Amino acid sequence: MPEPTSTADGPALDLPPERLPRHIAVIMDGNGRWAQQRGRPRIEGHRRGADSARAMTEECARLGIEQLTLYCFSSENWKRPRPELDFLMSLLVEYMAQQRAEVVRRGVKVSVIGRREGMPEKALREMDQTIAATRGNTGLHVCLAVNYGGRAELTDAVRTVAREVQTGRLDPEQIAEQTIAEHLYTAGMPDPDLLIRTAGELRVSNFLLWQISYAEIWVTDCCWPDFGVPHLHEAVRDYARRQRRFGGLSTESGLA
Ligand code: IPE
Ligand code: IPE
Ligand code: MG
């Protein structure tokens, strides 16, 4: 029997490691509603949301999850009022600067996916510093989706592929699914196994459109600032009970 998930300093999950998702992706939604329900400004929800992101990173590292991808800011979120955008960008700068030493110490590797164009210089600088400082780390990989849109990502990939065809480096007949995957921002990363969305909306909101083809989806009504270790454990336990078929037949049904 495989060993249950380690419980260094937290509650046990009692799941064999091979039942754990390798890659968890999270649509961290409901910061604004969390604040509004309390008669507080939306930005307070974003601040508390950043605390949840930190807690989630710690717990995923503890559980031995390989990758955690957090949807921080979508390319469509620029439609929001200027003061909220300014706050979100300054929170990103603050979060990067404050958390850098901690993620380095924990052996966490940080990467960022999304378009750089349109992002404030300061935010890019802080993100680049964290990426560089954690590049050699081999612990949990935290991938932050910032100014990210799934359609924008596919558009960028198509442009790059088209350029390679134009210059004769790529034969159109040779374009395979793997070719597309290798031209996405997520090249080299495993696809998400588990997609978590908080605050109850049943939609993907332009997140990792290609990569979530076979992700198991888990939605909770809990708003992101209230999302904690017990919710993560519930999602992972639920995931561990599911049968993934990828279009085939279940091995557990004996029909495979
Ligand atoms: C998610 O919370 C954070 C971002 C999209 C930046 P929201 O700000 O979308 O919160 P709600 O959905 O309005 O409650
Ligand atoms: C998705 O949440 C984006 C992030 C969590 C960063 P939104 O709040 O932008 O999604 P919609 O607008 O409800 O679809
Ligand atoms: Mg929202």
Side-chain angles (χ1 to χ4, degrees):
M1 272 292 281
E3 286 296 304
T5 309
S6 121
T7 60
D9 52 353
L13 254 183
D14 291 326
L15 291 171
E18 73 273 11
R19 297 300 295 178
L20 290 178
R22 198 178 155 195
H23 180 180
I24 301 177
V26 188
I27 302 175
M28 309 185 288
D29 200 15
N31 292 351
R33 274 165 281 175
W34 180 92
Q36 277 158 352
Q37 284 157 12
R38 288 160 179 78
R40 308 296 303 163
R42 291 177 55 85
I43 57 171
E44 204 169 308
H46 293 314
R47 192 169 277 291
R48 293 291 291 265
D51 295 339
S52 296
R54 184 165 47 236
M56 222 31 51
T57 300
E58 269 176 38
E59 185 59 10
C60 282
R62 193 181 73 84
L63 294 176
I65 304 293
E66 184 178 324
Q67 182 170 337
L68 172 68
T69 298
L70 299 171
Y71 203 4
C72 303
F73 187 84
S74 80
S75 32
E76 288 68 37
N77 287 146
W78 294 111
K79 295 173 188 163
R80 296 189 179 198
R82 180 43 61 187
E84 181 167 342
L85 293 173
D86 289 344
F87 181 83
L88 285 168
M89 291 303 140
S90 67
L91 186 63
L92 181 62
V93 167
E94 186 187 315
Y95 188 77
M96 283 290 150
Q98 269 181 6
Q99 291 299 301
R100 192 171 299 122
E102 178 70 7
V103 289
V104 168
R105 194 179 64 76
R106 287 180 179 272
V108 170
K109 173 190 156 93
V110 177
S111 67
V112 176
I113 53 171
R115 278 194 184 155
R116 289 176 71 88
E117 306 90 79
M119 286 296 292
E121 273 304 317
K122 197 155 184 230
L124 291 174
R125 262 202 315 275
E126 292 292 341
M127 292 193 297
D128 288 346
Q129 264 194 53
T130 300
I131 294 165
T134 65
R135 183 159 285 134
N137 287 353
T138 53
L140 173 71
H141 174 189
V142 175
C143 174
L144 304 174
V146 178
N147 194 18
Y148 174 89
R151 288 182 172 185
E153 177 182 39
L154 286 163
T155 305
D156 287 350
V158 169
R159 275 195 198 136
T160 316
V161 168
R163 261 187 243 116
E164 289 177 14
V165 168
Q166 195 179 33
T167 55
R169 270 184 295 153
L170 187 63
D171 172 0
E173 298 309 317
Q174 300 291 307
I175 298 173
E177 289 189 8
Q178 191 56 28
T179 320
I180 310 288
E182 282 164 6
H183 286 80
L184 297 174
Y185 307 147
T186 54
M189 301 177 195
D191 285 342
D193 300 299
L194 172 61
L195 173 68
I196 295 175
R197 182 162 187 150
T198 58
E201 310 292 357
L202 300 178
R203 54 178 174 256
V204 293
S205 300
N206 207 12
F207 191 41
L208 301 174
L209 297 181
W210 172 279
Q211 298 88 338
I212 60 169
S213 294
Y214 274 101
E216 295 295 327
I217 300 173
W218 192 83
V219 177
T220 174
D221 284 335
C222 173
C223 288
W224 179 247
D226 280 335
F227 189 93
V229 170
H231 301 94
L232 179 71
H233 286 193
E234 196 187 332
V236 170
R237 278 208 190 86
D238 194 3
Y239 169 86
R241 279 193 297 268
R242 297 193 193 178
Q243 289 179 8
R244 302 183 75 189
R245 289 189 285 276
F246 300 97
L249 299 178
S250 166
T251 47
E252 287 161 40
S253 69
L255 298 170

